[in-house]
Amino acid sequence: DNVNSNLARSMKANLEETIIAYGGVSVSFSERIKNGVDLLRETGCADIAFNKTEVCPYGNNCPMDVVKELKGIRRCSLCPYAVRFIDHLPAVMAKKRQVAEAVDELESVLAADVKTLNAKYTPTELDALDEDRARLCEDLSGWILNEEILEVMRQRIAAGKDIRNWTVQRPEIIERDLLRVSVQTSESEYLL
């Protein structure tokens, strides 16, 4: 989520290669013409915000169509414009666990018998708890899907199935000692 991270520097240097090398994806649950990756390409990362679980091409200012569609602001797990890279996978997993715990807590509250619930809560409060549970379950499903997609991207890159590019922590160290040699192998074997 740092503007000086390797991901951010790479996006500034070459956005297209970064999307490929870091496995950048946007998940959309509707038929949209543009998604977050398209928006990043179109705007050239003009107003992006780096977050722990995604990159927001709108600078963390949710557009009105998304607020209306998702029935709330900052529902990033479901946002079609949120762009996630494999570097976001640990934070996405942590967010999924956090939301799952919140769902479990609400479930335990609502699992009490009807008499106990009616004694503790008004009908309006019960409706609000039910709405919270529904919203959290939607968010949880979004985080689960994002985690699965990012894990698949990570596995593809780790297995060498996506060998178009390599990303390293400190390229300047490698560049200092890099030598070109003639070898007839795949790009992965050549680099190794």
Side-chain angles (χ1 to χ4, degrees), residues 170-189:
R170 300 237 162 163
E172 60 276 359
I173 294 172
I174 294 175
E175 288 172 353
R176 184 180 60 214
D177 296 319
L178 191 63
L179 298 173
R180 181 174 292 279
V181 293
S182 297
V183 178
Q184 291 185 356
T185 60
S186 72
E187 287 182 32
S188 300
E189 291 171 323

Side-chain angles (χ1 to χ4, degrees), residues 95-105 136 140:
K95 189 68 172 178
K96 179 194 81 169
R97 283 191 301 274
Q98 178 187 14
V99 174
E101 288 173 6
V103 169
D104 288 344
E105 286 177 24
L136 284 171
L140 180 59

Side-chain angles (χ1 to χ4, degrees), residues 6-123:
N6 289 335
L7 174 64
R9 287 195 317 254
S10 182
M11 286 177 75
K12 290 174 188 165
N14 189 331
L15 178 62
E16 202 57 44
E17 284 183 13
T18 302
I19 291 169
I20 293 166
Y22 285 82
V25 293
S26 290
V27 178
S28 181
F29 295 98
S30 63
E31 296 293 321
R32 289 186 178 275
I33 297 170
K34 292 181 186 173
N35 62 26
V37 173
D38 297 332
L39 200 58
L40 283 180
R41 288 178 175 135
E42 184 180 288
T43 63
C45 303
D47 189 31
I48 62 173
F50 293 93
N51 300 309
K52 291 190 183 312
T53 56
E54 73 277 328
V55 172
C56 178
Y58 285 106
N60 289 335
N61 297 313
C62 301
M64 287 311 296
D65 64 321
V66 172
V67 172
K68 186 183 250 183
E69 181 182 330
L70 300 179
K71 299 176 186 128
I73 61 171
R74 298 300 308 257
R75 297 198 64 199
C76 302
S77 69
L78 306 169
C79 182
Y81 298 121
V83 182
R84 290 179 181 81
F85 298 89
I86 56 173
D87 284 17
H88 291 118
L89 184 57
V92 167
M93 292 168 64
K95 189 68 172 178
K96 179 194 81 169
R97 283 191 301 274
Q98 178 187 14
V99 174
E101 288 173 6
V103 169
D104 288 344
E105 286 177 24
L106 264 176
E107 286 290 332
S108 67
V109 167
L110 294 171
D113 63 60
V114 177
K115 289 180 183 179
T116 306
L117 285 175
N118 288 334
K120 263 185 158 175
Y121 301 102
T122 67

